[in-house]
Amino acid sequence: MTFRSVARQGLGLLVMASLWGCANLNPDSPPAPPPENTPLAQAAQPAGPPASAADAASATVSYRVEVQAPDNLRQLLLTYLDLTRFQNAPQTDGITNAELIRLTAASPSQARSLLETEGYFNPTITVTRVDPPDETPLITLNVDPGPRAVIGAWELTVTGELKTRIDSGDKDALDLVERLRKRWPLDEGKPFSQSAWNSAKNGTLAQLRAEGYAAAKAGETIAHVDAKTNVAALAVELQSGPLFILGELKIEGLKRYNEEGIRHVADFGPGTPYSEKRLYDYQERLLKLNLFNSVAVSIEPEEDKAKAVPVMVRVTEQAQQQAVAGVGFSDNTRERLTVEHRHLRPLGYPVQMRNKFELGRKQRTWEGELLTDPGDAQYRKLLAGGVSRLDTDDDSTFSWKARAGRTLYTERIERLIFAELLNATVTNGLGEFTSRAVSGNYHWTWRDVDDIILPTRGLTTVIQGGAGYALSETQQDGPFARVYTRNTLYWPLPGAWFTQTRLEVAEVFAKDAVGIPDTLLFRAGGDESVRGYGYRDLGPLVNGVLTSGRQLLTGSFEIARPFSVNRPALWWAVFVDAGNATNEWADYKPALGYGLGVRWRSPVGPLRIDWAYGEEVRKARLHFSVGIAF
């Protein structure tokens, strides 16, 4: 890297290495005395009886420093000026009056160097010292930073194999350089600072390394700052080195589980150009297999292996059997006890077996699942079932289901394709109703968020579709179709405000006389639906009895903000929810709920406590939940 600087006469550059060492605190090196009749020279004269030279040389002094500058620059100067750092030194490590004079005289030059790191090349700096009787000396540094330098012209060039590919018209190489230039953060007119300059260079180099040129290095980088016009001209050269091509997979750490599953998850093979994102996505898919405690996928960027660089996969296996027990609470289903057991190789077969039991005041369930390792197309075969009983104030629902299909998990998309047989029996004020259904289903989930646990920007979409045939003991048999979608947008606003908008729409298509199982129908209300109402408390009334509906529409808007900058994980929120379930869109009437909430963004997900008022019931309700619903 080359630095060029003619700062005081036209051109200047910030060089961090020159910021310190301005003051020599070696007492054996006598300081240059300040000019006569200056405030510093006058302050240096002893006020009392003459002292011996030895006493004067060894005596330490206390002093105070005041820096008058804009707040952002004042903190910089207080932190890094030698004059301010030594004022709090212990008496035994203090400095003599001669050393204080030297530090004071050197402070304007040192302050100027510090200000240049923030883009101020024409400051006006004065320093004064006052020695009031019976008080410690007060040294005041007055700083007028002047105008701040801004970015003018900038240039980004590349050398090496990338340049060769560009010259030959390679589209991928041309696109890569275009992306590097578009993402260059220091656009014309932006303020110049040393930290922003370093960040821009390092970030652009990291992007080049991530997109195939893993051994790229910085070449000559130059920043010319014209101190007269306060304009910075930038030039960056990147030496790309070779384009890395992926070679064979090398897997370390396997003891109990099959290597084929790891290889089937890879969406690349020998001859694929390297990219950091490709390996990161592969690593995420391996973690989603639920076979490993940790996974690391990497390459060694050695240029002599660039044409077939080995991909190293290092794994730490999970225990073959795992059991987890827990207690929990939610406003939806109240208290509950859960026990879950997983066996990753039952009877030695390459499948995972999971059983989960939940026992609560309102809901009791069992869920079981057999899941194979990924096949050639990364799909995993699935065999699952479940039994559930849910009791509410208005009814009781007993249901069971069995499904077989296959599933696919990628970095953003989850797919589930399955055939299902289910049965549901509902007992309410109208009597007992039992229906069954056999159906084919497709579930698709897409997530594009900045953080899967604590999202603040992005979109999640769930789409479910299915069709089948319903059999009812009390109503007619017949075909049906079912669609459901839930979309949540997370979007930040200026001033540390964050919004969350949700839209949920669903419908079952069938003749009115066909008896659809209750678990395929819809209700609204609860933590993840319309707050201010109980879980599943909103739906169509039939002869005064609450039932499930064939159409559903709910929406929510929430705006939140941290309580303070010192506690960024603790937020307050204001929200409004609306929605309902119905049997006919013409009869649809949304129920409104609104209120205030507190959010704690814990490492395992957001904990939410909401106080919500339901317009339809004219009373408030407290909601408590943990996690994000997709």
Side-chain angles (χ1 to χ4, degrees), residues 52-104:
S52 69
D55 291 340
S58 61
T60 60
V61 295
S62 298
Y63 63 97
R64 296 170 294 148
V65 177
E66 182 176 306
V67 176
Q68 296 180 354
D71 289 343
N72 59 323
L73 300 177
R74 181 174 180 274
Q75 189 58 48
L76 174 73
L77 297 172
L78 287 173
T79 302
Y80 293 109
L81 278 176
D82 287 339
L83 184 65
T84 60
R85 292 191 297 117
F86 279 100
Q87 70 172 325
N88 297 319
Q91 189 70 19
T92 55
D93 299 329
I95 61 175
T96 65
N97 190 56
E99 291 166 338
L100 177 59
I101 294 171
R102 179 166 57 249
L103 286 178
T104 305

Side-chain angles (χ1 to χ4, degrees), residues 164-432:
T164 303
R165 290 175 176 267
I166 291 172
D167 292 342
S168 65
D170 184 282
K171 184 178 183 303
D172 291 338
L174 292 168
D175 290 344
L176 174 56
V177 171
E178 183 65 20
R179 288 196 300 274
L180 294 176
R181 288 172 176 158
K182 282 185 176 180
R183 295 178 186 177
W184 176 256
L186 299 184
D187 291 331
E188 187 173 344
K190 284 191 174 182
F192 177 79
S193 71
Q194 184 71 39
S195 60
W197 168 231
N198 288 338
S199 177
K201 292 182 294 182
N202 294 335
T204 303
L205 178 60
Q207 184 183 346
L208 178 59
R209 289 173 175 171
E211 298 206 33
Y213 297 86
K217 298 179 292 185
E220 188 176 38
T221 61
I222 302 171
H224 288 291
V225 180
D226 190 327
K228 291 183 178 180
T229 62
N230 292 295
V231 175
L234 311 178
V236 178
E237 177 190 272
L238 300 179
Q239 300 171 357
S240 72
L243 174 65
F244 278 70
I245 305 299
L246 299 179
E248 62 175 335
L249 284 178
K250 292 188 176 181
I251 303 170
E252 298 178 357
L254 277 183
K255 298 178 182 177
R256 291 183 291 267
Y257 308 131
N258 297 338
E259 188 174 295
E260 289 76 9
I262 291 181
R263 295 188 180 277
H264 287 156
V265 172
D267 62 351
F268 57 85
T272 305
Y274 160 78
S275 79
E276 186 178 84
K277 184 179 183 303
R278 176 173 282 116
L279 296 193
Y280 176 79
D281 291 344
Y282 175 46
Q283 178 176 290
E284 290 297 298
R285 289 195 298 274
L286 289 176
L287 283 171
K288 288 183 177 180
L289 295 178
N290 292 323
L291 294 172
F292 309 110
N293 289 319
S294 66
V295 178
V297 180
S298 63
I299 65 167
E300 293 295 334
E302 300 174 2
E303 294 192 16
D304 58 337
K305 299 179 180 178
K307 297 310 176 185
V309 60
V311 179
M312 302 301 302
V313 181
R314 298 177 175 90
V315 300
T316 303
E317 295 181 335
Q318 292 186 12
Q320 201 165 44
Q321 295 193 58
Q322 303 165 24
V324 178
V327 294
F329 174 87
S330 72
D331 181 64
N332 287 350
T333 57
R334 316 306 289 179
E335 307 87 354
R336 64 183 182 272
L337 170 69
T338 60
V339 178
E340 182 173 356
H341 175 262
R342 294 177 64 233
H343 197 308
L344 302 185
R345 284 296 180 265
L347 301 177
Y349 289 101
V351 298
Q352 299 180 32
M353 181 174 67
R354 181 180 69 91
N355 285 281
K356 181 178 180 181
F357 299 87
E358 180 178 312
L359 179 62
R361 185 199 301 183
K362 290 189 174 184
Q363 188 170 32
R364 281 81 70 195
T365 64
W366 164 78
E367 295 178 352
E369 180 182 82
L370 288 173
L371 192 64
T372 68
D373 289 344
D376 291 337
Q378 300 186 34
Y379 275 94
R380 309 176 74 178
K381 296 177 182 178
L382 169 76
L383 185 64
V387 179
S388 172
R389 181 181 178 90
L390 175 63
D391 297 318
T392 68
D393 295 337
D394 301 289
D395 55 29
S396 176
T397 304
F398 175 80
S399 64
W400 58 262
K401 63 183 178 181
R403 61 175 56 169
R406 62 178 190 161
T407 182
L408 172 67
Y409 297 95
T410 63
E411 56 275 7
R412 290 186 179 179
I413 297 175
E414 295 180 9
R415 298 180 179 91
L416 175 60
I417 306 168
F418 62 96
E420 182 176 66
L421 174 65
L422 63 84
N423 179 96
T425 299
V426 178
T427 305
N428 57 26
L430 300 175
E432 183 176 287

Side-chain angles (χ1 to χ4, degrees), residues 81 103-115 123 125-127 141:
L81 278 176
L103 286 178
T104 305
S107 60
S109 176
Q110 195 179 34
R112 182 170 290 107
S113 296
L114 287 167
L115 292 172
I125 303 172
T126 59
V127 60
L141 196 71

